[in-house]
Amino acid sequence: MPVDTARMTKVFSRPQSLTEAHFTYCPGCHHGLITRIIGQTIDELGIAERTIGIAPVGCAVFAYLWYRCDALQVAHGRASAVATGLKRARPDRIVFSYQGDGDFASIGTAESIHAANRGENITVIFVNNQIYGMTGGEMAPTTLVSQRTTTTPEGRDPATTGYPIRFSELLAQLDAPVYITRQALYDTRRIMDCTKAIKKAFQNQVDGKGYSLVEILSTCPTNWHMSPLQANEHVATTVTKVFPLGDLVNKGA
Amino acid sequence: MGERYLLRGNEVIAEAAIRAGCQCYFAYPITPQGELVEHMARHMPRLGRTFIQAESEVAAISMVYGAAAAGVRTMTSSSSPGISLKQEGISYIAGSNLPAVIVNVVRGGPGLGNIAPSQCDYFQAVKGGGHGDYHMIVLGPSTVPEAGELTMLAFELADRYRTPVMILADGLLGQMMEPVELPESLELSKLPQKPWAATGAKGRDPNIILSFDLSPENLKRMNLELQAKYAEIRKNEVRWEEMDTADADIVVVAYGSIARIAKTVIRMARAEGIRLGLFRPITLWPYPYEPLRDLADRVHTILTVEMSAGQMWEDVRLAVAERAASPFYGEMGGVVPTPNGILSEVKKYAR
Amino acid sequence: MPHGVVVVDGERCKGCGLCIAACPQKVLAFSGALNKSGYDVVHVEMPDACVGCAFCALTCPDIALSVYREKTRT
Ligand SMILES: Cc1ncc(C[n+]2csc(CCOP(=O)(O)OP(=O)(O)O)c2C)c(N)n1
Ligand code: SF4
Ligand code: SF4
């Protein structure tokens, strides 16, 4: 039944800086939500014409399709180094990298730490879903103890595979970063908080303040073998115990 | 013009890069190209340009990817073990059609090897050391002044063909001091426009820089475009030098520092009545197969001399194709062939 | 209470159900109808209950929902 919305105020619509492309993510996956929030942020700050996005290797490999912005697709783990080169070449442009936990906190460990340590004036969106989504659900450095993945079929055993790495806490030890925060999206309140955090991380760059990172506890219903709702619940009750939410660095707040 | 300086090969490459308009340089230190990094560290910031000592060669080449995508002239340099680490980035740069200059001041290998001069990275440079069906233009300077000229050319070719270009030098050339006349500085505002670059989608559709397409049909098309570009480069950019080949019976094929040593050998041989000539590839990719083949029809022996186990020798034999005898003389591990060593090798084939 | 209207883009919806749970007014439900991609898409089951809070749209990972609110209650 058609609804007459002509007389009404639109309170929610698709961000202008997103293209019409359908996301390639699985049902209920937070990657899409994060993309929407980034799009909304780009709209609100009015920076679409000078923003350059960096798509990682991972489920977000197609991220260059989502934004009405220039974009690069780059090698697995190297997004923070590529962002460095891009930003140094064009300091007045807004550069953000979008990286999974395998990308950012495993294969890209060195690039991630050193971009933060140099205080590059970039925005990093770090999507921590505790698993390798794209390649079929293997262990990530962030995988929880006892969590079953395709490469820890009996559950992650810290005796042989170590513990989930709290990468944001590692980066928070550095002097240069201006903003490091961990957020989640498992309910409306967290979504609103995360939206504020992402906006701040972009605003910092616009203001020339320096390195800002938003880690987001994301879901992978597919490889967690959970329904989207169960996955949200799992983040709320279990994942946040290992990865506590909140700001780790917030300079000049 | 007319300024003459006594400089090392490494410094000349660095200074020529600056004069070619290199705006962003990223590297991780390694011998024997330390002076190149240090020259850039001293001069790039002073000019308001970017110098970053990267956390690794992997990071450095990734930074090059970013700067190249942003449309500025950019370069990285290293030596053999570091160049191995850059292969990932070089493949992405080639696949994404980005212009960039990479300098390899080759040292002894494999593994950590040593810091003495070598040409043992030839295969890696000209056959594609990274993954995928790609090539880089590879330039092999043989003197310090030529290192400067070829650095200028490298940036020009990189932009013209949107491709990575490697300067394949060796430790000898990097360290050697010679008087040079430096090239004129190019004006940044006059460098080629790059409407394809990721500079912000203002008043145009977004520019997307990528080497990725899940569809085999599309990726095949991307590969065919790359191959068409390589065909164009092969057609236009083959460069080589010949010395005393007109009346030669024997020709030495050598590039880089060895070609320079070979020139001494030619004078020595001619003094003894041996009609020796030199064929020196300047572009190692695209390789000057055809001129070398023509030469092979006119001489009885083509002797390849290299600081490797015979890597370029494979290309020489491809070119010669049994038209002449094609022996090989090489040294490895950082041992540099001497003029006398090469001459006695030549004498084995003199009739 | 203000009145709202949710419009579902049936081709974008992947039937994840997150919006159904996010809605405090229980406005949305699975429709039982499959879209071209084979997902059971949501529809507006209780239109009169919608207050236009947009929590559903805020939660949707696929931006399948638009929300409108009446300017004044007539
Ligand atoms: C050099 C290299 N190694 C491995 C891969 C294969 N690979 C693709 S994505 C991926 C992991 C992705 O996990 P993550 O970064 O956590 O992102 P997600 O897919 O979970 O969003 C791996 C290992 C690759 N593309 N390149
Ligand atoms: S595999 Fe996991 S992370 Fe990837 S799109 Fe699907 S749910 Fe999201
Ligand atoms: S949240 Fe979006 S994709 Fe999921 S069921 Fe609701 S409308 Fe469909």
Side-chain angles (χ1 to χ4, degrees):
Chain A
M1 185 189 63
V3 262
D4 177 21
T5 50
R7 297 178 295 112
M8 306 182 93
T9 315
K10 208 165 188 184
V11 286
F12 186 96
S13 56
R14 189 177 187 81
Q16 303 248 300
S17 5
L18 294 185
T19 64
E20 293 299 320
H22 288 215
F23 298 149
T24 45
Y25 305 118
C26 305
C29 173
H30 288 178
H31 269 305
L33 205 39
I34 301 166
T35 308
R36 194 266 295 159
I37 296 171
I38 294 171
Q40 185 181 319
T41 303
I42 294 173
D43 281 2
E44 287 173 10
L45 298 178
I47 52 174
E49 291 187 333
R50 59 184 178 118
T51 294
I52 301 152
I54 299 185
V57 176
C59 285
V61 66
F62 287 113
Y64 58 86
L65 292 174
W66 313 147
Y67 308 93
R68 291 188 205 277
C69 298
D70 282 1
L72 277 53
Q73 198 296 310
V74 308
H76 192 24
R78 316 296 173 224
S80 289
V82 174
T84 298
L86 195 57
K87 184 73 184 182
R88 296 292 187 109
R90 305 270 175 202
D92 55 346
R93 306 305 201 274
I94 303 303
V95 175
F96 76 93
S97 74
Y98 185 106
Q99 306 184 246
D101 44 0
D103 195 86
F104 188 74
S106 186
I107 192 168
T109 298
E111 289 80 6
S112 302
I113 290 182
H114 287 278
N117 192 48
R118 285 187 303 267
E120 296 296 338
N121 186 26
I122 58 173
T123 304
V124 177
I125 306 297
F126 164 29
V127 182
N128 174 358
N129 59 6
Q130 305 102 58
I131 206 148
Y132 285 8
M134 189 194 216
T135 38
E138 297 86 354
M139 183 185 76
T142 43
T143 293
L144 304 187
V145 170
S146 302
Q147 185 182 337
R148 284 175 198 271
T149 70
T150 52
T151 50
T152 56
E154 306 300 324
R156 182 176 189 174
D157 177 3
T160 52
T161 61
Y163 292 86
I165 191 167
R166 282 184 279 270
F167 212 86
S168 291
E169 277 83 347
L170 288 179
L171 296 185
Q173 302 306 307
L174 305 173
D175 290 334
V178 293
Y179 185 49
I180 297 180
T181 186
R182 184 180 290 118
Q183 302 289 328
L185 299 163
Y186 57 77
D187 64 17
T188 321
R189 199 190 123 199
R190 286 348 104 163
I191 293 170
M192 288 173 172
D193 287 351
C194 184
T195 306
K196 282 191 206 125
I198 289 179
K199 188 162 179 186
K200 188 180 174 70
F202 274 86
Q203 184 70 55
N204 281 345
Q205 186 180 166
V206 171
D207 297 343
K209 286 193 177 148
Y211 186 87
S212 297
L213 171 107
V214 184
E215 172 180 347
I216 299 157
L217 299 181
S218 188
T219 55
C220 180
T222 303
N223 290 300
W224 293 0
H225 307 290
M226 293 180 190
S227 73
L229 273 175
Q230 286 170 330
N232 275 5
E233 192 59 25
H234 174 69
V235 176
T237 57
T238 308
V239 181
T240 47
K241 293 216 170 65
V242 182
F243 295 105
L245 300 182
D247 292 351
L248 292 155
V249 174
N250 192 358
K251 288 181 189 154
Chain B
M1 278 300 278
E3 318 160 78
R4 278 173 85 78
Y5 300 90
L6 188 65
L7 291 172
R8 284 179 207 279
N10 284 333
E11 293 163 327
V12 166
I13 293 171
E15 187 54 35
I18 290 173
R19 291 173 184 232
C22 175
Q23 286 194 76
C24 291
Y25 168 85
F26 313 97
Y28 186 85
I30 184 169
T31 309
Q33 57 86 62
E35 299 83 6
L36 207 170
V37 186
E38 287 158 23
H39 187 95
M40 294 306 249
R42 261 197 313 279
H43 296 285
M44 291 290 274
R46 185 174 60 76
L47 295 163
R49 303 187 191 180
T50 297
F51 167 88
I52 295 182
Q53 178 173 330
E55 56 271 30
S56 71
E57 289 85 352
V58 176
I61 192 76
S62 302
M63 292 172 190
V64 165
Y65 184 96
V72 304
R73 286 194 162 177
T74 178
M75 182 171 97
T76 184
S77 66
S78 188
S79 178
S80 311
I83 297 293
S84 290
L85 283 183
K86 291 189 197 291
Q87 295 304 324
E88 174 192 75
I90 293 172
S91 167
Y92 274 75
I93 287 169
S96 302
N97 293 296
L98 292 175
V101 175
I102 302 122
V103 181
N104 184 1
V105 183
V106 183
R107 59 188 245 179
L112 189 55
N114 62 22
I115 58 170
S118 176
Q119 296 180 320
C120 57
D121 296 352
Y122 178 90
F123 279 156
Q124 188 197 48
V126 308
K127 306 293 176 191
H131 58 287
D133 262 322
Y134 77 92
H135 279 291
M136 323 180 252
I137 296 175
V138 182
L139 305 174
S142 88
T143 65
V144 173
E146 193 188 26
E149 290 154 25
L150 292 187
T151 302
M152 300 292 283
L153 178 67
F155 281 96
E156 192 187 314
L157 295 179
D159 279 352
R160 186 179 310 150
Y161 295 101
R162 290 179 61 185
T163 188
V165 179
M166 176 172 277
I167 297 176
L168 193 68
D170 58 63
L172 206 60
L173 187 74
Q175 297 299 321
M176 185 192 310
M177 291 185 102
E178 276 189 90
V180 282
E181 207 164 285
L182 287 167
E184 295 274 2
S185 286
L186 303 182
E187 268 181 57
L188 292 185
S189 60
K190 294 197 181 137
L191 295 179
Q193 295 294 308
K194 297 179 179 173
W196 50 264
T199 54
K202 190 171 185 176
R204 58 159 168 78
D205 287 340
N207 283 338
I208 310 293
I209 306 289
L210 82 180
S211 60
F212 168 69
D213 202 313
L214 269 189
S215 137
E217 280 311 309
N218 290 347
L219 192 61
K220 177 179 166 179
R221 200 171 314 127
M222 275 169 61
N223 268 283
L224 288 174
E225 283 165 15
L226 270 186
Q227 295 307 319
K229 167 159 86 182
Y230 298 148
E232 193 69 9
I233 295 173
R234 284 191 183 99
K235 195 170 86 198
N236 300 335
E237 305 302 341
V238 174
R239 288 170 168 78
W240 75 97
E241 181 197 353
E242 292 181 32
M243 176 180 165
D244 290 346
T245 51
D247 66 340
D249 300 321
I250 307 179
V251 160
V252 165
V253 185
Y255 72 96
S257 295
I258 300 306
R260 181 197 187 108
I261 296 171
K263 287 186 179 174
T264 308
V265 177
I266 286 165
R267 281 186 284 273
M268 290 159 68
R270 294 238 163 212
E272 295 187 30
I274 303 168
R275 288 197 301 220
L276 183 67
L278 170 70
F279 184 90
R280 176 173 79 92
I282 297 172
T283 51
L284 298 167
W285 195 91
Y287 196 80
Y289 291 112
E290 274 153 39
L292 185 54
R293 183 163 307 153
D294 293 346
L295 198 53
D297 283 331
R298 310 196 319 254
V299 302
H300 62 70
T301 302
I302 297 222
L303 171 67
T304 305
V305 183
E306 264 184 281
M307 289 192 284
S308 83
Q311 297 189 18
M312 182 184 67
W313 189 31
E314 289 198 0
D315 280 327
V316 173
R317 280 178 294 168
L318 270 178
V320 171
E322 318 267 311
R323 287 168 161 82
S326 184
F328 171 73
Y329 169 55
E331 292 287 1
M332 288 180 282
V335 175
V336 181
T338 61
N340 279 324
I342 300 174
L343 183 62
S344 56
E345 210 51 39
V346 167
K347 284 180 179 167
K348 287 187 193 166
Y349 307 102
R351 294 178 192 155
Chain C
M1 286 288 255
H3 179 59
V5 171
V6 178
V7 179
V8 182
D9 180 339
E11 288 313 316
R12 285 189 191 277
C13 175
K14 290 178 182 160
C16 72
L18 290 179
C19 55
I20 301 176
C23 175
Q25 299 290 102
K26 307 272 172 278
V27 169
L28 302 167
F30 287 116
S31 65
L34 304 187
N35 66 9
K36 283 191 202 124
S37 315
Y39 295 118
D40 180 357
V41 300
V42 293
H43 74 156
V44 181
E45 179 108 331
M46 312 258 275
D48 293 341
C50 182
V51 294
C53 70
F55 283 11
C56 56
L58 221 53
T59 308
C60 175
D62 286 278
I63 325 184
L65 304 175
S66 309
V67 182
Y68 301 82
R69 205 180 292 164
E70 248 174 23
K71 282 167 188 153
T72 45
R73 195 117 167 84
T74 47

